[in-house]
Amino acid sequence: CLGLGFGVAASAYAEKPLVLGFSQVGAESEWRTANTASIKDAAKQAGVTLKFADAQQKQENQVKAIRSFIAQKVDVIAFSPVVESGWDTVLREAKAAKIPVILTDRAVDASDKSLYVTFIGSDFVEEGRRAGRWLLERAKTMPAGDINIVELQGTVGSAPAIDRKAGFAETIAANPKLKIIRSQTGDFTRAKGKEVMEAFLKTDGKKINVLYAHNDDMAIGAIQAIEEAGLKPGKDILVISVDGVKGAFEAMMAGKLNVTVECSPLLGPQLMKVAKQVLAGETVPKRITTEESVFPAEVAAKEFPNRKY
Ligand code: AHR
């Protein structure tokens, strides 16, 4: 069981709406906007009173928000941690106040797993592997010689940046022709993705065969940089990214992006369900993994009408 004593007063919550404090990373990407909308909509649907705080991609803002949720004595705290480490103190404070914490989207590296009830979100290592597997297949059809890859990483120290890098590197190691020649953060934003890709193009230009971006927004920014450099994204430079937002499908339909690995932001309904279960004293799994797929450009037009974000 949870071992925190949540649910002891379950009956006390029977009539009043559950109050959920949620600390969001920010509004850095199309994905994040969809994630915020999913959480707000689901709270409304579930009759949950949501206290929402935007951290503007700063850990200190998230810590402040969590402390304020503790002071307000919310029933449950949920958050998507901007980076993996540095959460132990504030999580211990929540535990001392007997407020259950649910992680969504991104994980923390706390050694004491009792500091949070569950983690709902994607398997980012697997997403990196899926991107790598697509490239391994594609490499079979590419001319002999080295295949030079540039990588746009997500926010430094964040779980998706660490895991997507690791999963991709581990997978492409199967083909020694595949070489990552540059790897730098673009902070999950279009503007930074473009800026860093411009720098890559300046130093390595025509040597670059493949771009692997840890999210669609950075890929879309980089696509612009590739075009401005007089090259064709999707052809001269293959473009691989992660998320599966509508913007990526549009880029695929325009022939500028080759594949996107899905990462679903639609976590709201599951979060509300789990928050209610936790408060009712029910045992929930420690890890709830989102089911996802891979969309190569060839299926983009067919899949586009089904996309929800
Ligand atoms: O944590 C999920 C990642 O964060 C998404 O891939 C990215 O777009 C977002 O900013």
Side-chain angles (χ1 to χ4, degrees), residues 25 28-32 57 80 105-106 124 127 155 158 160 164 187-188 214-217 242-243 245 263:
V25 171
E28 74 285 3
S29 61
E30 212 178 313
W31 189 100
R32 189 66 56 195
Q57 280 191 284
S80 173
D105 162 37
R106 299 183 181 179
F124 295 135
E127 288 171 353
T155 301
S158 69
R164 287 174 187 164
D187 213 12
F188 281 130
H214 289 187
N215 83 342
D216 290 337
D217 279 75
V242 185
D243 276 355
V245 298
C263 174

PDB file of all heavy atoms in Angstrom, residues 25 28-32 57 80 105-106 124 127 155 158 160 164 187-188 214-217 242-243 245 263, ligand 1:
ATOM      1  N   VAL A  25       5.527  22.649 -16.235  1.00  0.00           N
ATOM      2  CA  VAL A  25       6.880  23.077 -16.636  1.00  0.00           C
ATOM      3  C   VAL A  25       6.861  24.501 -17.189  1.00  0.00           C
ATOM      4  O   VAL A  25       7.639  25.355 -16.778  1.00  0.00           O
ATOM      5  CB  VAL A  25       7.434  22.130 -17.734  1.00  0.00           C
ATOM      6  CG1 VAL A  25       8.725  22.672 -18.328  1.00  0.00           C
ATOM      7  CG2 VAL A  25       7.657  20.730 -17.189  1.00  0.00           C
ATOM      8  N   GLU A  28       6.639  25.839 -23.340  1.00  0.00           N
ATOM      9  CA  GLU A  28       7.755  25.875 -24.286  1.00  0.00           C
ATOM     10  C   GLU A  28       7.470  25.251 -25.643  1.00  0.00           C
ATOM     11  O   GLU A  28       8.206  25.474 -26.584  1.00  0.00           O
ATOM     12  CB  GLU A  28       8.992  25.222 -23.647  1.00  0.00           C
ATOM     13  CG  GLU A  28       8.990  23.688 -23.513  1.00  0.00           C
ATOM     14  CD  GLU A  28       8.097  23.142 -22.393  1.00  0.00           C
ATOM     15  OE1 GLU A  28       7.415  23.930 -21.723  1.00  0.00           O
ATOM     16  OE2 GLU A  28       8.066  21.912 -22.218  1.00  0.00           O
ATOM     17  N   SER A  29       6.396  24.444 -25.746  1.00  0.00           N
ATOM     18  CA  SER A  29       6.191  23.701 -26.993  1.00  0.00           C
ATOM     19  C   SER A  29       4.706  23.473 -27.265  1.00  0.00           C
ATOM     20  O   SER A  29       3.872  23.637 -26.374  1.00  0.00           O
ATOM     21  CB  SER A  29       6.897  22.342 -26.895  1.00  0.00           C
ATOM     22  OG  SER A  29       6.346  21.606 -25.816  1.00  0.00           O
ATOM     23  N   GLU A  30       4.438  23.060 -28.510  1.00  0.00           N
ATOM     24  CA  GLU A  30       3.061  22.712 -28.896  1.00  0.00           C
ATOM     25  C   GLU A  30       2.563  21.571 -28.001  1.00  0.00           C
ATOM     26  O   GLU A  30       1.409  21.523 -27.594  1.00  0.00           O
ATOM     27  CB  GLU A  30       3.092  22.263 -30.369  1.00  0.00           C
ATOM     28  CG  GLU A  30       1.849  22.589 -31.167  1.00  0.00           C
ATOM     29  CD  GLU A  30       1.973  22.151 -32.629  1.00  0.00           C
ATOM     30  OE1 GLU A  30       3.004  22.429 -33.283  1.00  0.00           O
ATOM     31  OE2 GLU A  30       1.031  21.502 -33.125  1.00  0.00           O
ATOM     32  N   TRP A  31       3.460  20.653 -27.702  1.00  0.00           N
ATOM     33  CA  TRP A  31       3.156  19.517 -26.820  1.00  0.00           C
ATOM     34  C   TRP A  31       2.678  20.016 -25.460  1.00  0.00           C
ATOM     35  O   TRP A  31       1.678  19.577 -24.921  1.00  0.00           O
ATOM     36  CB  TRP A  31       4.424  18.665 -26.646  1.00  0.00           C
ATOM     37  CG  TRP A  31       4.225  17.364 -25.941  1.00  0.00           C
ATOM     38  CD1 TRP A  31       4.104  16.138 -26.519  1.00  0.00           C
ATOM     39  CD2 TRP A  31       4.139  17.153 -24.515  1.00  0.00           C
ATOM     40  NE1 TRP A  31       3.945  15.176 -25.547  1.00  0.00           N
ATOM     41  CE2 TRP A  31       3.955  15.777 -24.312  1.00  0.00           C
ATOM     42  CE3 TRP A  31       4.188  17.979 -23.408  1.00  0.00           C
ATOM     43  CZ2 TRP A  31       3.836  15.214 -23.047  1.00  0.00           C
ATOM     44  CZ3 TRP A  31       4.053  17.423 -22.142  1.00  0.00           C
ATOM     45  CH2 TRP A  31       3.882  16.049 -21.973  1.00  0.00           C
ATOM     46  N   ARG A  32       3.432  20.972 -24.905  1.00  0.00           N
ATOM     47  CA  ARG A  32       3.133  21.444 -23.553  1.00  0.00           C
ATOM     48  C   ARG A  32       1.777  22.146 -23.512  1.00  0.00           C
ATOM     49  O   ARG A  32       1.028  22.022 -22.550  1.00  0.00           O
ATOM     50  CB  ARG A  32       4.259  22.385 -23.093  1.00  0.00           C
ATOM     51  CG  ARG A  32       4.200  22.802 -21.631  1.00  0.00           C
ATOM     52  CD  ARG A  32       4.405  21.668 -20.652  1.00  0.00           C
ATOM     53  NE  ARG A  32       5.635  20.962 -20.875  1.00  0.00           N
ATOM     54  CZ  ARG A  32       5.907  19.763 -20.354  1.00  0.00           C
ATOM     55  NH1 ARG A  32       5.039  19.141 -19.582  1.00  0.00           N
ATOM     56  NH2 ARG A  32       7.052  19.159 -20.625  1.00  0.00           N
ATOM     57  N   GLN A  57       9.627  27.095 -17.043  1.00  0.00           N
ATOM     58  CA  GLN A  57      10.823  26.253 -17.210  1.00  0.00           C
ATOM     59  C   GLN A  57      11.895  26.470 -16.132  1.00  0.00           C
ATOM     60  O   GLN A  57      13.073  26.228 -16.370  1.00  0.00           O
ATOM     61  CB  GLN A  57      11.421  26.447 -18.610  1.00  0.00           C
ATOM     62  CG  GLN A  57      10.655  25.634 -19.648  1.00  0.00           C
ATOM     63  CD  GLN A  57      11.361  25.591 -20.982  1.00  0.00           C
ATOM     64  OE1 GLN A  57      11.327  26.555 -21.716  1.00  0.00           O
ATOM     65  NE2 GLN A  57      11.995  24.476 -21.302  1.00  0.00           N
ATOM     66  N   SER A  80       4.954  18.164 -13.245  1.00  0.00           N
ATOM     67  CA  SER A  80       5.802  17.638 -14.303  1.00  0.00           C
ATOM     68  C   SER A  80       7.168  18.292 -14.090  1.00  0.00           C
ATOM     69  O   SER A  80       7.363  19.460 -14.415  1.00  0.00           O
ATOM     70  CB  SER A  80       5.186  18.060 -15.638  1.00  0.00           C
ATOM     71  OG  SER A  80       6.048  17.727 -16.675  1.00  0.00           O
ATOM     72  N   ASP A 105       4.218  13.080 -16.728  1.00  0.00           N
ATOM     73  CA  ASP A 105       5.080  13.361 -17.883  1.00  0.00           C
ATOM     74  C   ASP A 105       6.554  13.071 -17.615  1.00  0.00           C
ATOM     75  O   ASP A 105       7.152  12.258 -18.291  1.00  0.00           O
ATOM     76  CB  ASP A 105       4.835  14.814 -18.369  1.00  0.00           C
ATOM     77  CG  ASP A 105       5.915  15.365 -19.254  1.00  0.00           C
ATOM     78  OD1 ASP A 105       6.446  14.594 -20.063  1.00  0.00           O
ATOM     79  OD2 ASP A 105       6.221  16.569 -19.151  1.00  0.00           O
ATOM     80  N   ARG A 106       7.173  13.749 -16.641  1.00  0.00           N
ATOM     81  CA  ARG A 106       8.608  13.564 -16.400  1.00  0.00           C
ATOM     82  C   ARG A 106       8.881  12.993 -15.011  1.00  0.00           C
ATOM     83  O   ARG A 106       8.166  13.301 -14.062  1.00  0.00           O
ATOM     84  CB  ARG A 106       9.336  14.906 -16.529  1.00  0.00           C
ATOM     85  CG  ARG A 106       9.211  15.531 -17.901  1.00  0.00           C
ATOM     86  CD  ARG A 106      10.004  16.813 -17.998  1.00  0.00           C
ATOM     87  NE  ARG A 106       9.842  17.399 -19.311  1.00  0.00           N
ATOM     88  CZ  ARG A 106      10.400  18.542 -19.703  1.00  0.00           C
ATOM     89  NH1 ARG A 106      11.167  19.209 -18.859  1.00  0.00           N
ATOM     90  NH2 ARG A 106      10.208  19.015 -20.912  1.00  0.00           N
ATOM     91  N   PHE A 124      10.491   7.451 -22.147  1.00  0.00           N
ATOM     92  CA  PHE A 124      11.321   8.292 -23.018  1.00  0.00           C
ATOM     93  C   PHE A 124      12.505   7.522 -23.619  1.00  0.00           C
ATOM     94  O   PHE A 124      12.962   7.852 -24.711  1.00  0.00           O
ATOM     95  CB  PHE A 124      11.863   9.504 -22.248  1.00  0.00           C
ATOM     96  CG  PHE A 124      10.801  10.477 -21.774  1.00  0.00           C
ATOM     97  CD1 PHE A 124      10.842  10.994 -20.481  1.00  0.00           C
ATOM     98  CD2 PHE A 124       9.782  10.893 -22.606  1.00  0.00           C
ATOM     99  CE1 PHE A 124       9.906  11.921 -20.041  1.00  0.00           C
ATOM    100  CE2 PHE A 124       8.818  11.815 -22.179  1.00  0.00           C
ATOM    101  CZ  PHE A 124       8.886  12.321 -20.883  1.00  0.00           C
ATOM    102  N   GLU A 127      11.207   5.859 -26.564  1.00  0.00           N
ATOM    103  CA  GLU A 127      11.005   6.813 -27.666  1.00  0.00           C
ATOM    104  C   GLU A 127      12.322   7.031 -28.429  1.00  0.00           C
ATOM    105  O   GLU A 127      12.342   7.052 -29.661  1.00  0.00           O
ATOM    106  CB  GLU A 127      10.499   8.154 -27.121  1.00  0.00           C
ATOM    107  CG  GLU A 127       9.054   8.081 -26.655  1.00  0.00           C
ATOM    108  CD  GLU A 127       8.593   9.337 -25.922  1.00  0.00           C
ATOM    109  OE1 GLU A 127       9.425  10.232 -25.656  1.00  0.00           O
ATOM    110  OE2 GLU A 127       7.401   9.415 -25.596  1.00  0.00           O
ATOM    111  N   THR A 155      15.744  20.155 -22.838  1.00  0.00           N
ATOM    112  CA  THR A 155      16.252  20.906 -21.689  1.00  0.00           C
ATOM    113  C   THR A 155      17.312  20.101 -20.916  1.00  0.00           C
ATOM    114  O   THR A 155      17.075  18.934 -20.576  1.00  0.00           O
ATOM    115  CB  THR A 155      15.071  21.247 -20.756  1.00  0.00           C
ATOM    116  OG1 THR A 155      14.142  22.010 -21.523  1.00  0.00           O
ATOM    117  CG2 THR A 155      15.514  22.039 -19.544  1.00  0.00           C
ATOM    118  N   SER A 158      16.721  17.356 -18.029  1.00  0.00           N
ATOM    119  CA  SER A 158      15.329  16.866 -17.994  1.00  0.00           C
ATOM    120  C   SER A 158      15.296  15.392 -18.385  1.00  0.00           C
ATOM    121  O   SER A 158      16.131  14.925 -19.173  1.00  0.00           O
ATOM    122  CB  SER A 158      14.446  17.675 -18.950  1.00  0.00           C
ATOM    123  OG  SER A 158      14.787  17.404 -20.299  1.00  0.00           O
ATOM    124  N   PRO A 160      13.236  13.701 -20.387  1.00  0.00           N
ATOM    125  CA  PRO A 160      13.140  13.357 -21.809  1.00  0.00           C
ATOM    126  C   PRO A 160      14.445  13.593 -22.570  1.00  0.00           C
ATOM    127  O   PRO A 160      14.751  12.851 -23.519  1.00  0.00           O
ATOM    128  CB  PRO A 160      12.013  14.264 -22.339  1.00  0.00           C
ATOM    129  CG  PRO A 160      11.799  15.309 -21.317  1.00  0.00           C
ATOM    130  CD  PRO A 160      12.230  14.723 -20.008  1.00  0.00           C
ATOM    131  N   ARG A 164      15.878  10.223 -24.072  1.00  0.00           N
ATOM    132  CA  ARG A 164      15.790  10.117 -25.540  1.00  0.00           C
ATOM    133  C   ARG A 164      17.181  10.049 -26.149  1.00  0.00           C
ATOM    134  O   ARG A 164      17.389   9.397 -27.165  1.00  0.00           O
ATOM    135  CB  ARG A 164      14.999  11.316 -26.107  1.00  0.00           C
ATOM    136  CG  ARG A 164      13.516  11.195 -25.813  1.00  0.00           C
ATOM    137  CD  ARG A 164      12.738  12.422 -26.224  1.00  0.00           C
ATOM    138  NE  ARG A 164      11.355  12.299 -25.756  1.00  0.00           N
ATOM    139  CZ  ARG A 164      10.493  13.308 -25.681  1.00  0.00           C
ATOM    140  NH1 ARG A 164      10.849  14.516 -26.064  1.00  0.00           N
ATOM    141  NH2 ARG A 164       9.267  13.103 -25.238  1.00  0.00           N
ATOM    142  N   ASP A 187      16.668  23.356 -25.825  1.00  0.00           N
ATOM    143  CA  ASP A 187      15.717  23.673 -24.761  1.00  0.00           C
ATOM    144  C   ASP A 187      14.251  23.422 -25.111  1.00  0.00           C
ATOM    145  O   ASP A 187      13.354  24.054 -24.556  1.00  0.00           O
ATOM    146  CB  ASP A 187      15.915  25.147 -24.340  1.00  0.00           C
ATOM    147  CG  ASP A 187      15.630  25.349 -22.863  1.00  0.00           C
ATOM    148  OD1 ASP A 187      15.510  24.343 -22.130  1.00  0.00           O
ATOM    149  OD2 ASP A 187      15.499  26.517 -22.446  1.00  0.00           O
ATOM    150  N   PHE A 188      14.010  22.524 -26.056  1.00  0.00           N
ATOM    151  CA  PHE A 188      12.651  22.124 -26.448  1.00  0.00           C
ATOM    152  C   PHE A 188      11.853  23.246 -27.129  1.00  0.00           C
ATOM    153  O   PHE A 188      10.642  23.149 -27.236  1.00  0.00           O
ATOM    154  CB  PHE A 188      11.838  21.594 -25.250  1.00  0.00           C
ATOM    155  CG  PHE A 188      12.154  20.179 -24.853  1.00  0.00           C
ATOM    156  CD1 PHE A 188      12.426  19.843 -23.517  1.00  0.00           C
ATOM    157  CD2 PHE A 188      12.148  19.153 -25.779  1.00  0.00           C
ATOM    158  CE1 PHE A 188      12.700  18.538 -23.131  1.00  0.00           C
ATOM    159  CE2 PHE A 188      12.416  17.836 -25.408  1.00  0.00           C
ATOM    160  CZ  PHE A 188      12.692  17.532 -24.088  1.00  0.00           C
ATOM    161  N   HIS A 214      14.982  16.162 -30.187  1.00  0.00           N
ATOM    162  CA  HIS A 214      14.253  15.531 -29.081  1.00  0.00           C
ATOM    163  C   HIS A 214      12.797  15.971 -29.001  1.00  0.00           C
ATOM    164  O   HIS A 214      12.059  15.454 -28.177  1.00  0.00           O
ATOM    165  CB  HIS A 214      14.937  15.820 -27.740  1.00  0.00           C
ATOM    166  CG  HIS A 214      16.242  15.109 -27.549  1.00  0.00           C
ATOM    167  ND1 HIS A 214      16.925  15.127 -26.361  1.00  0.00           N
ATOM    168  CD2 HIS A 214      16.984  14.348 -28.399  1.00  0.00           C
ATOM    169  CE1 HIS A 214      18.044  14.425 -26.483  1.00  0.00           C
ATOM    170  NE2 HIS A 214      18.107  13.953 -27.716  1.00  0.00           N
ATOM    171  N   ASN A 215      12.399  16.994 -29.776  1.00  0.00           N
ATOM    172  CA  ASN A 215      10.958  17.257 -29.900  1.00  0.00           C
ATOM    173  C   ASN A 215      10.642  17.919 -31.237  1.00  0.00           C
ATOM    174  O   ASN A 215      11.542  18.384 -31.948  1.00  0.00           O
ATOM    175  CB  ASN A 215      10.369  18.027 -28.704  1.00  0.00           C
ATOM    176  CG  ASN A 215      10.560  19.537 -28.779  1.00  0.00           C
ATOM    177  OD1 ASN A 215      11.396  20.033 -29.526  1.00  0.00           O
ATOM    178  ND2 ASN A 215       9.789  20.267 -27.991  1.00  0.00           N
ATOM    179  N   ASP A 216       9.340  17.918 -31.568  1.00  0.00           N
ATOM    180  CA  ASP A 216       8.908  18.454 -32.862  1.00  0.00           C
ATOM    181  C   ASP A 216       9.196  19.942 -32.987  1.00  0.00           C
ATOM    182  O   ASP A 216       9.538  20.421 -34.067  1.00  0.00           O
ATOM    183  CB  ASP A 216       7.394  18.237 -33.040  1.00  0.00           C
ATOM    184  CG  ASP A 216       7.022  16.768 -33.245  1.00  0.00           C
ATOM    185  OD1 ASP A 216       7.892  15.987 -33.672  1.00  0.00           O
ATOM    186  OD2 ASP A 216       5.851  16.417 -32.980  1.00  0.00           O
ATOM    187  N   ASP A 217       9.007  20.691 -31.900  1.00  0.00           N
ATOM    188  CA  ASP A 217       9.204  22.138 -31.999  1.00  0.00           C
ATOM    189  C   ASP A 217      10.632  22.480 -32.429  1.00  0.00           C
ATOM    190  O   ASP A 217      10.836  23.323 -33.301  1.00  0.00           O
ATOM    191  CB  ASP A 217       8.868  22.823 -30.664  1.00  0.00           C
ATOM    192  CG  ASP A 217       7.370  23.014 -30.528  1.00  0.00           C
ATOM    193  OD1 ASP A 217       6.682  22.018 -30.258  1.00  0.00           O
ATOM    194  OD2 ASP A 217       6.883  24.147 -30.732  1.00  0.00           O
ATOM    195  N   VAL A 242      10.385  13.870 -32.112  1.00  0.00           N
ATOM    196  CA  VAL A 242       9.548  13.175 -31.130  1.00  0.00           C
ATOM    197  C   VAL A 242       8.393  14.097 -30.725  1.00  0.00           C
ATOM    198  O   VAL A 242       8.598  15.304 -30.597  1.00  0.00           O
ATOM    199  CB  VAL A 242      10.364  12.837 -29.851  1.00  0.00           C
ATOM    200  CG1 VAL A 242       9.529  11.990 -28.873  1.00  0.00           C
ATOM    201  CG2 VAL A 242      11.658  12.120 -30.189  1.00  0.00           C
ATOM    202  N   ASP A 243       7.226  13.548 -30.521  1.00  0.00           N
ATOM    203  CA  ASP A 243       6.004  14.158 -29.977  1.00  0.00           C
ATOM    204  C   ASP A 243       4.774  13.769 -30.799  1.00  0.00           C
ATOM    205  O   ASP A 243       3.807  13.295 -30.244  1.00  0.00           O
ATOM    206  CB  ASP A 243       6.042  15.694 -29.891  1.00  0.00           C
ATOM    207  CG  ASP A 243       6.726  16.223 -28.624  1.00  0.00           C
ATOM    208  OD1 ASP A 243       7.083  15.391 -27.761  1.00  0.00           O
ATOM    209  OD2 ASP A 243       6.915  17.440 -28.524  1.00  0.00           O
ATOM    210  N   VAL A 245       3.013  16.152 -32.736  1.00  0.00           N
ATOM    211  CA  VAL A 245       2.033  17.253 -32.723  1.00  0.00           C
ATOM    212  C   VAL A 245       1.585  17.540 -34.151  1.00  0.00           C
ATOM    213  O   VAL A 245       2.227  17.121 -35.112  1.00  0.00           O
ATOM    214  CB  VAL A 245       2.618  18.542 -32.071  1.00  0.00           C
ATOM    215  CG1 VAL A 245       2.978  18.306 -30.618  1.00  0.00           C
ATOM    216  CG2 VAL A 245       3.818  19.079 -32.842  1.00  0.00           C
ATOM    217  N   CYS A 263       4.625  10.968 -28.525  1.00  0.00           N
ATOM    218  CA  CYS A 263       4.699  11.117 -27.069  1.00  0.00           C
ATOM    219  C   CYS A 263       3.406  11.818 -26.701  1.00  0.00           C
ATOM    220  O   CYS A 263       3.219  12.988 -27.046  1.00  0.00           O
ATOM    221  CB  CYS A 263       5.913  11.976 -26.700  1.00  0.00           C
ATOM    222  SG  CYS A 263       5.999  12.365 -24.944  1.00  0.00           S
TER     223      CYS A 263
HETATM  224  O1  AHR B   1       8.392  16.108 -21.326  1.00  0.00           O
HETATM  225  C1  AHR B   1       7.848  16.007 -22.579  1.00  0.00           C
HETATM  226  C2  AHR B   1       8.559  16.931 -23.524  1.00  0.00           C
HETATM  227  O2  AHR B   1       8.494  18.252 -23.048  1.00  0.00           O
HETATM  228  C3  AHR B   1       7.996  17.003 -24.918  1.00  0.00           C
HETATM  229  O3  AHR B   1       8.593  16.123 -25.794  1.00  0.00           O
HETATM  230  C4  AHR B   1       8.375  18.377 -25.303  1.00  0.00           C
HETATM  231  O4  AHR B   1       7.806  18.831 -26.487  1.00  0.00           O
HETATM  232  C5  AHR B   1       8.041  19.101 -24.078  1.00  0.00           C
HETATM  233  O5  AHR B   1       8.467  20.381 -24.022  1.00  0.00           O
END
